[in-house]
Amino acid sequence: MARNELILTDVTKRFGGLTAVDALSLTVKEGMIYGLIGPNGAGKTTAFNNITGIYKPEEGSIKWRGEEIRGLTPYQIVDRGIVRTFQTIRLFSQMSVAENIMSGRHIKSSQKWWHGIIHTPGSKRDELANWRKVEEQLDFFKLSEYAATATCSLPYGLQRRVEMARAMAVEPTLLILDEPAAGLNDKETLELLQTIYQIRDKGVTVLLIEHDMDMVMELTDYLTVINFGKKIAEGTPAEIQKNPAVIEAYLGSEDDDDE
Amino acid sequence: MNTVQRFGPPLALLVMAFLPFALNPRWQAVAITFLIFSVVALSQDIVLGKSGMFNMGQALFFGMGAYTTAILNAKFGWPMLATIPLAILIPALFGIILAGPIVHLRGDYLLVTTIGFNIVFVQVLQNDLGGLTGGPNGIFGLDPLSLFGTNLTSQVAVYYFAFAVLLLTLWVMRNLEKSKPGRAMHYLREDQLAAESIGINTRVYKIFAFGLGAGIAGLAGTVYATQYAAVSPEGFDFIQSVLFFAIVIVGGSSVSGVLLGVFIMFVLPEIFREFATWRFFIFGFAMILAMILRPRGIVPATFGKIPKFLIKGDSHGA
Amino acid sequence: MDIFLQQLANGLTIGSMFALVALGYTMVYGVMRLINFAHGDMVAASAFVGLTIYTQVMGEAASLGAVIAIFLLTAVSMAVIGVILERLAYRPLREAPRLSAVVSALGASLVIQNGVMLIWGPRMRIFPELVPQVYWEFGGVVISMIQVIILVLSLVLMIALYLFVEKTRMGAAIRAASIDQDAARLMGIDVNRVIALIFIIGSSLGAVGGLFIGLYYRGITFNMGWQYGLYAFIAAIIGGIGNIPGAMLGGMLLGLFNAFIAGYVSSTWADAFTFILLIGILIVRPTGILGERVAEKV
């Protein structure tokens, strides 16, 4: 049985004359909390977009559980157990929290297209079972009181939680988080940290982009640092902090949270 | 859920159930038209309101259903009611086939291709393709409804046929809302990328929406053919599609909104006969104003239909 | 061979008219991403306005001077209406979602179309004979003076527009606004002025097109704008929406296609074939022949 590993090999993505991701290779092992960091514009989100099927890389290979997933569409990749959140939060803003989380149950639901026209006892059971799963996520993320509230009326921090709840509702094997702490205050960031640990304890592997260096150093087991689309270093947080190439890349960087 | 929301719809349906006995024949005919066009408009809502696709060719499927019934009855002698399954399936199939190559197009282009399909369809009808479609005059002399051997020629019978079809449509749409495919359509309309990224095969559900909308419109076509005992190309040209499109947007993607839109567009001009020539002129202004003042329609769609056991604490819905 | 040349001549004529109308669509779409559904109806209205100017203002005079005056007055009137249309139906919706603007455009179309009907009646009217019915024959092919005038004048106008857009400052402003309205605004371009100008130019060209339609077909009806406008929009798409030379090329190609189908296949199927062509192009090469000049936000 293939291990739950994500292996990128020489992944390259070009937009016209611009090489956004340049021969990127990395391996995310099962159970890790893996960080992808680098200065702004380094190509991190683009790399994620390649993994999750929004872009197709020109060169290279992306293997998940031994299977090549390069070129698959986003929903096909979710079907294989990889789910992501977005840097800019892409919730279904007019819809309620519960409905948003329910979208995560789509791929787990056994209903067929005809159940949109006529219900069967089986489809009704499926509905109930999935709403129960939504309830679990609401409880886990402490969103129960907002179940029926439209997400557009929630404060930013809560919206972030809804997005994660939605992603977790899919019961992913690999969770990809794009700047999950962006816009959060210190208290919220601490809560986020705890949540990610809990998620890892459930057996989910986590791959994340983050700019909050304190959080990254505390949270991650392993890091890859990229700049201008190329990997410039990889290693444990302790190793990365001492790496001269990394320090140089970040000189003048605005993102270190100094207390 | 206040009193109006809770009792309004069932009350309205109750009124509609007894309406024909309160109306003279002319108004019965108007009521039947209201019912038929409501069904088409609701089918348009599935594609445009719920799935967010700029479909401006719904009259095509409406016409396909009507002509299927007409051809099967006039040329092959099928009883009217027996034509229903094909009058649903054939448009639905076409809906799926036509949608396939175009659902990925961006809004404006999708819009123009659907208009194109509609225009091609009407030309096919007018040119009497295969000797089946009857040319510019259409097909007439269709049989009345017959049930268990007896002919039901009264207009009241047609009314109840139309009413039954509306009830069926409302029932299907209610099932749709509380189902995986129904929710998928909402998600892909709100944010297609997010929907894809959470595991929804948006292409499949867009095509499904088209097919379902087409099938329902086709069913309405059968009722139309029954009402007039005839079909002709003018009833299905793309201007009709424009009207159905406008009704959904101006009325809003909700049952009351759509019905209100149909009422304003088709019943009101009957009440104010003097206004008939001004109908489109006024409607045009109404459309412009509606978009400026109420972009989501007069009665917009609402969300938050979640099971009661999830609603805890003090929150009060969307 | 005769049929071919005849349809060629007809096609080029019709194509020129399509091109003039298509330019209005493409310019508006280029800057505002909006299908100005009302444009076709404006074109139709132009014919009626021209008719009225002829009968009421010119006292039915058909001298060269009078004809020029009719063209100018019609163009000016339609330009004014075009600017008013933009102010009332489109400007309030600049920030609104695309769908709202589409519906507003449809509403405007209904208003103009039915406005024409309410003023001039629902029946077909005959457009005055402003151009003498002179025909020339070249070995089996008949060309009328009207066709020549349409061809020549359209060509002149299209060249003029092309030069304007490519060589002048205002033209550069239009091109900039087509690519990125916000950036253009930040560069100091008065986008409102640009949009007003687009509507003035588009409506004027459309007015000329409408008068040509009246001259060529002689019979005008209040609802002829929709179909014609749709064709012209297709022409704009074929050439690449937002692309001005593209609209000209698209219009010509569409006119030729339509004429050849009518001549060789059947006129009752001409519409259907044209739309099938359009749908095919949209599916296979949505950016049109010369490519879109419209930046798409990813």
Side-chain angles (χ1 to χ4, degrees):
Chain A
M1 206 181 91
R3 294 207 304 281
N4 293 332
E5 274 181 7
L6 178 72
I7 304 179
L8 269 67
T9 315
D10 288 328
V11 170
T12 303
K13 177 70 194 155
R14 295 191 199 94
F15 294 107
L18 174 73
T19 306
V21 179
D22 198 347
L24 181 64
S25 301
L26 57 87
T27 301
V28 180
K29 296 208 165 82
E30 182 163 8
M32 271 184 154
I33 297 180
Y34 197 107
L36 182 63
I37 63 176
N40 268 327
K44 310 185 291 294
T45 298
T46 311
F48 274 14
N49 287 343
N50 279 291
I51 298 171
T52 59
I54 294 175
Y55 300 142
K56 181 174 173 182
E58 271 76 26
E59 295 166 28
S61 120
I62 303 178
K63 284 214 163 91
W64 167 244
R65 293 196 190 135
E67 184 197 354
E68 179 68 54
I69 61 171
R70 168 178 170 249
L72 291 181
T73 64
Y75 78 87
Q76 288 171 324
I77 290 179
V78 173
D79 201 21
R80 285 159 174 72
I82 303 179
V83 183
R84 72 166 300 163
T85 63
F86 289 91
Q87 189 176 350
T88 48
I89 298 188
R90 295 186 82 122
L91 290 174
F92 306 113
S93 48
Q94 301 290 331
M95 302 177 83
S96 65
V97 169
E99 283 165 313
N100 268 273
I101 299 175
M102 187 61 164
S103 70
R105 296 304 301 168
H106 176 98
I107 205 152
K108 294 289 181 191
S109 162
S110 60
Q111 292 180 44
K112 303 277 183 278
W113 61 265
W114 58 85
H115 293 122
I117 301 174
I118 186 166
H119 293 167
T120 61
S123 78
K124 288 191 193 164
R125 275 196 298 270
D126 180 272
E127 279 283 293
L128 190 59
N130 283 312
W131 283 115
R132 288 283 174 206
K133 289 280 184 186
V134 169
E135 190 177 30
E136 280 176 30
Q137 295 301 330
L138 286 168
D139 289 337
F140 180 77
F141 284 94
K142 302 197 185 46
L143 292 164
S144 302
E145 64 183 281
Y146 305 104
T149 317
T151 57
C152 56
S153 56
L154 289 178
Y156 190 88
L158 280 176
Q159 286 191 32
R160 277 239 171 259
R161 263 199 258 162
V162 175
E163 223 206 354
M164 283 194 66
R166 179 178 71 176
M168 286 305 293
V170 187
E171 292 169 18
T173 316
L174 170 63
L175 181 63
I176 298 184
L177 303 171
D178 196 342
E179 299 200 35
L184 296 184
N185 61 37
D186 289 343
K187 176 166 170 284
E188 287 165 335
T189 307
L190 262 170
E191 284 169 358
L192 175 65
L193 226 75
Q194 295 310 316
T195 307
I196 297 182
Y197 283 136
Q198 284 174 302
I199 289 174
R200 194 256 293 271
D201 290 341
K202 286 185 195 234
V204 179
T205 307
V206 177
L207 167 62
L208 65 106
I209 292 174
E210 198 31 75
H211 275 300
D212 182 338
M213 279 306 134
D214 292 337
M215 179 179 155
V216 167
M217 296 303 159
E218 159 91 32
L219 180 66
T220 58
D221 303 318
Y222 205 77
L223 291 170
T224 286
V225 188
I226 70 173
N227 199 6
F228 301 117
K230 283 174 100 81
K231 172 159 74 174
I232 58 176
E234 68 169 80
T236 64
E239 289 164 0
I240 291 296
Q241 276 178 316
K242 301 199 214 97
N243 187 308
V246 173
I247 296 172
E248 199 189 311
Y250 271 100
L251 263 179
S253 154
E254 65 290 341
D255 296 304
D256 285 5
D257 280 15
D258 276 315
E259 290 306 311
Chain B
M1 255 255 215
N2 63 36
T3 323
V4 174
Q5 282 173 325
R6 179 172 274 223
F7 291 110
L11 207 60
L13 288 177
L14 202 62
V15 168
M16 284 205 269
F18 291 102
L19 200 55
F21 303 111
L23 302 174
N24 64 34
R26 178 193 157 219
W27 285 103
Q28 281 174 355
V30 172
I32 297 173
T33 300
F34 171 78
L35 291 170
I36 295 174
F37 282 8
S38 294
V39 172
V40 182
L42 287 169
S43 77
Q44 168 83 26
D45 181 44
I46 293 177
V47 184
L48 174 63
K50 309 226 175 306
S51 309
M53 293 188 280
F54 293 9
N55 169 21
M56 218 186 266
Q58 199 66 352
L60 189 167
F61 303 116
F62 181 35
M64 223 180 248
Y67 264 82
T68 301
T69 293
I71 293 172
L72 287 174
N73 178 256
K75 310 266 174 174
F76 298 104
W78 289 34
M80 295 295 269
L81 288 175
T83 66
I84 288 180
L86 282 180
I88 296 177
L89 280 171
I90 293 180
L93 217 62
F94 265 91
I96 293 172
I97 295 173
L98 293 177
I102 63 170
V103 283
H104 66 281
L105 293 175
R106 67 167 195 248
D108 309 330
Y109 287 0
L110 182 68
L111 189 130
V112 176
T113 52
T114 56
I115 296 180
F117 284 141
N118 204 155
I119 291 182
V120 172
F121 174 67
V122 172
Q123 268 215 324
V124 165
L125 294 180
Q126 283 171 332
N127 289 332
D128 198 9
L129 190 70
L132 280 176
T133 59
N137 291 325
I139 304 173
F140 36 85
L142 302 179
D143 298 326
L145 289 174
S146 79
L147 213 50
F148 313 119
T150 32
N151 278 345
L152 304 168
T153 49
S154 77
Q155 211 172 34
V156 177
V158 180
Y159 178 93
Y160 281 113
F161 180 30
F163 188 52
V165 168
L166 177 65
L167 288 177
L168 179 67
T169 305
L170 291 172
W171 183 70
V172 167
M173 290 185 73
R174 193 152 165 280
N175 289 343
L176 191 63
E177 285 294 296
K178 295 185 181 188
S179 73
K180 169 182 171 180
R183 276 188 301 269
M185 300 194 312
H186 284 302
Y187 298 137
L188 68 86
R189 182 203 66 240
E190 286 281 309
D191 187 334
Q192 187 174 331
L193 184 60
E196 280 268 340
S197 300
I198 205 73
I200 298 175
N201 181 347
T202 57
R203 187 181 150 74
V204 148
Y205 288 101
K206 283 182 175 179
I207 295 177
F208 169 68
F210 248 98
L212 180 60
I216 294 176
L219 178 57
T222 301
V223 188
Y224 179 94
T226 308
Q227 181 185 17
Y228 294 108
V231 292
S232 68
E234 306 88 63
F236 311 110
D237 72 20
F238 73 94
I239 302 285
Q240 293 288 102
S241 293
V242 172
L243 291 174
F244 289 124
F245 184 94
I247 282 171
V248 169
I249 301 289
V250 173
S253 175
S254 62
V255 172
S256 356
V258 169
L259 294 182
L260 184 65
V262 177
F263 184 82
I264 293 175
M265 201 50 220
F266 292 106
V267 177
L268 230 47
E270 294 293 325
I271 299 178
F272 300 104
R273 260 285 158 83
E274 324 87 70
F275 281 127
T277 40
W278 287 78
R279 159 159 62 138
F280 288 119
F281 187 72
I282 295 175
F283 201 60
F285 270 112
M287 283 162 73
I288 300 175
L289 274 170
M291 287 304 101
I292 296 174
L293 298 174
R294 272 192 91 80
R296 304 200 101 222
I298 300 176
V299 188
T302 53
F303 298 107
K305 293 179 203 79
I306 61 180
K308 292 213 172 52
F309 65 82
L310 288 177
I311 306 178
K312 302 184 171 112
D314 294 330
S315 66
H316 280 301
Chain C
M1 194 50 177
D2 281 357
I3 303 180
F4 178 81
L5 286 175
Q6 183 67 62
Q7 294 313 323
L8 184 67
N10 293 347
L12 287 174
T13 312
I14 302 173
S16 308
M17 296 192 284
F18 280 144
L20 286 177
V21 179
L23 284 168
Y25 278 113
T26 223
M27 289 177 76
V28 171
Y29 194 90
V31 175
M32 298 170 77
R33 307 291 183 273
L34 169 72
I35 305 177
N36 182 9
F37 282 107
H39 188 57
D41 299 290
M42 295 265 291
V43 170
S46 312
F48 286 89
V49 168
L51 168 64
T52 299
I53 291 180
Y54 169 76
T55 53
Q56 307 294 95
V57 180
M58 292 288 124
E60 311 213 353
S63 66
L64 182 61
V67 171
I68 293 178
I70 292 174
F71 268 77
L72 284 175
L73 284 170
T74 306
V76 168
S77 313
M78 298 317 292
V80 168
I81 295 177
V83 172
I84 294 176
L85 166 71
E86 195 273 318
R87 280 296 174 82
L88 289 179
Y90 300 148
R91 188 183 288 202
L93 296 169
R94 291 259 185 98
E95 305 298 314
R98 288 275 259 316
L99 194 55
S100 301
V102 167
V103 173
S104 187
L106 285 172
S109 165
L110 285 175
V111 168
I112 293 177
Q113 191 183 119
N114 284 276
V116 169
M117 182 200 73
L118 290 169
I119 298 176
W120 282 279
R123 285 202 254 141
M124 180 187 285
R125 302 284 287 262
I126 304 295
F127 198 79
E129 205 187 289
L130 295 175
V131 175
Q133 301 280 19
V134 176
Y135 296 91
W136 295 295
E137 212 193 301
F138 300 97
V141 178
V142 179
I143 300 184
S144 67
M145 183 183 258
I146 295 177
Q147 281 179 301
V148 173
I149 290 179
I150 290 176
L151 267 165
V152 170
L153 200 55
S154 302
L155 203 60
V156 167
L157 285 171
M158 287 194 266
I159 293 176
L161 180 67
Y162 182 75
L163 290 174
F164 177 78
V165 172
E166 292 295 315
K167 307 283 180 199
T168 67
R169 252 171 89 221
M170 215 45 201
I174 293 177
R175 277 181 286 131
S178 294
I179 296 174
D180 191 330
Q181 236 188 76
D182 294 321
R185 201 174 282 125
L186 290 172
M187 288 289 113
I189 293 176
D190 186 344
V191 173
N192 283 340
R193 267 254 213 101
V194 169
I195 289 178
L197 185 62
I198 285 173
F199 271 85
I200 290 174
I201 297 177
S203 306
S204 307
L205 291 174
V208 173
L211 293 170
F212 282 162
I213 291 173
L215 283 172
Y216 193 68
Y217 293 104
R218 300 301 304 287
I220 55 178
T221 44
F222 74 98
N223 58 0
M224 68 186 192
W226 244 96
Q227 185 99 344
Y228 209 85
L230 211 52
Y231 269 126
F233 183 64
I234 293 171
I237 294 179
I238 291 176
I241 196 79
N243 187 319
I244 288 176
M248 300 179 193
L249 181 64
M252 289 312 223
L253 286 176
L254 192 66
L256 287 167
F257 183 79
N258 210 269
F260 281 121
I261 295 285
Y264 282 106
V265 180
S266 137
S267 55
T268 50
W269 285 104
D271 283 352
F273 272 98
T274 308
F275 276 97
I276 292 175
L277 169 75
L278 164 76
I279 293 165
I281 290 182
L282 281 179
I283 292 172
V284 168
R285 195 181 155 79
T287 53
I289 296 179
L290 294 189
E292 283 181 18
R293 279 249 205 117
V294 169
E296 184 70 78
K297 288 201 181 85
V298 173

